[in-house]
Amino acid sequence: MAKAVTKSAGKPAAKPAAKATAKPAAKAATKTAPKAAGKTAAKAKAKPARKSALTISMLKPSVNNMTVRVFARAAGLDHAETDAWGHTRSPEYMARNPAHLTPMIEDKGLPRGVLWESCAIMQYLSNKHGLEKFYPKAPAKRAMIDSAMFYLIGTLYPYVARATYPALGFPQYAGEVGHSDAHPDRKSEAQKAAVAAIAEPLEVFHSFFRDGKPFIGGKSPSIADIRLAATLEFLAVIDYALPKWAKEYMAAMEKKLGKAYAGPAGDVRGYIAHVRSQAKA
C-alpha cells in the first residue's frame, strides 16, 4: 500500500510521509491481531459443549438395555448414555423412575420426562422421528411387529430369564422358584424346564414371524428384530444349542447393523465371558 501511494503521487516528498504512515499502521495491525485472535480463542473456549437431546440410563451387561443402545445407534439418534450401575435405587433415580428400571430415556417431549421398557422406548422414538424403516406405519405391518415384541416379552423372555439368570448372577423375579428358599434340586429342575421350553417360541419366530424373510421386518431389521437378537445373546451363558437359522439370523443382524450392533453386543458378550471365567475358576 505504501509503494502504491508513492508511485501514484510521483513526488519525492511523499516518500517520507508514506513511510511514516506505514510504520504506525503496521504496528497497530501487529498489536490488534493477537488481541483479536485472543478474543476469538476465548470465545471458542467459553462456548459450552452441546448437550444431547436424548439421554439413556443403562446397564451394559443387560440385553434389555442392549436393545435400546443398538436401536439408538442404528437410527442415528443424537444421544448420550449414562451408566446407571449401582444407582437405580438411589433417591434421585427413584424420584424420576419409581420402577427403578433400565433402560430409561429422558426426553423433553414426554409427559413425565422419562420413559422405561425397551420396546416402548423404541416405539416412541420411532414415532417421534418418523423411523418407518424400523417401525412401519401401515397398520397390518405394524401389528406384526407389535405382536412379535409382545410375544417375546410375554413368552420367550421369561423362559430365557429363568434359564440364564442363575448363571449370570442376576436376581430372580419374586414368585419364581429361583427366588425362593426351595431346595437347589428344585431350582435346577425349574431351570432345565425353562431351557427345554425355549425351543417352541423360537420356532414360532422362525416359521410365523419371519416366514421365509431375512428379518421380522422383511428385508431390513425392525425394532422387533433388534429385541429378539439381543435376547438370544444371553443364551450363550448356558451354551444353548441355537438352531442353524437362529445363528444365521444373529450373524445377519450384526452384519446389517454393523457397529451399531457390535458395540453394545460386545459389552454383553464381555460380561458373559467374565461370568463363565469366574465359574471355571
Side-chain angles (χ1 to χ4, degrees):
M1 179 174 154
K3 288 181 180 178
V5 171
T6 304
K7 286 181 181 177
S8 59
K11 295 179 181 179
K15 288 182 180 179
K19 286 180 181 178
T21 306
K23 285 180 181 178
K27 287 180 180 179
T30 306
K31 288 180 180 179
T32 49
K35 287 182 180 178
K39 287 180 180 178
T40 305
K43 285 182 180 179
K45 288 181 180 179
K47 189 177 180 180
R50 186 176 61 83
K51 186 179 179 182
S52 298
L54 178 69
T55 300
I56 304 173
S57 295
M58 53 82 198
L59 303 177
K60 291 183 178 181
S62 164
V63 294
N64 299 325
N65 290 261
M66 173 186 159
T67 299
V68 173
R69 296 178 72 204
V70 169
F71 172 75
R73 287 164 169 76
L77 298 178
D78 177 27
H79 69 285
E81 292 182 349
T82 300
D83 194 337
W85 189 270
H87 301 291
T88 57
R89 296 276 184 173
S90 68
E92 182 185 23
Y93 195 91
M94 293 280 284
R96 292 176 296 159
N97 181 344
H100 53 79
L101 294 173
T102 60
M104 176 186 77
I105 64 166
E106 296 173 65
D107 193 45
K108 290 181 180 179
L110 293 164
R112 300 299 298 273
V114 303
L115 181 69
W116 58 87
E117 295 295 347
S118 61
C119 294
I121 289 171
M122 292 191 293
Q123 289 170 318
Y124 164 72
L125 292 174
S126 293
N127 289 332
K128 179 177 180 178
H129 298 286
L131 301 171
E132 290 190 60
K133 175 183 176 181
F134 295 100
Y135 194 40
K137 281 188 177 180
K141 290 182 178 179
R142 175 167 286 199
M144 293 301 287
I145 301 300
D146 288 340
S147 180
M149 289 196 299
F150 298 159
Y151 181 63
L152 189 151
I153 61 178
T155 301
L156 176 61
Y157 193 76
Y159 293 153
V160 172
R162 291 167 189 152
T164 62
Y165 277 22
L168 289 164
F170 290 176
Q172 295 280 316
Y173 293 101
E176 298 282 354
V177 175
H179 182 72
S180 70
D181 293 327
H183 191 277
D185 290 346
R186 285 202 61 197
K187 292 183 180 181
S188 179
E189 288 172 9
Q191 184 181 7
K192 289 176 182 177
V195 172
I198 290 171
E200 182 178 274
L202 264 188
E203 179 55 30
V204 171
F205 279 102
H206 175 51
S207 61
F208 182 79
F209 289 113
R210 287 181 68 226
D211 189 28
K213 304 184 298 293
F215 307 102
I216 297 169
K219 292 182 180 180
S220 60
S222 65
I223 56 177
D225 288 291
I226 294 173
R227 189 66 184 87
L228 175 59
T231 298
L232 298 182
E233 290 282 347
F234 260 175
L235 293 175
V237 78
I238 57 170
D239 289 324
Y240 185 85
L242 283 169
K244 183 182 177 183
W245 74 262
K247 293 177 181 178
E248 292 173 348
Y249 169 77
M250 292 177 73
M253 282 289 293
E254 186 159 3
K255 182 178 180 180
K256 192 77 173 179
L257 299 181
K259 292 181 180 179
Y261 186 93
D267 290 327
V268 171
R269 293 167 186 170
Y271 181 75
I272 289 173
H274 168 72
V275 168
R276 290 169 65 93
S277 67
Q278 293 295 104
K280 291 178 181 177

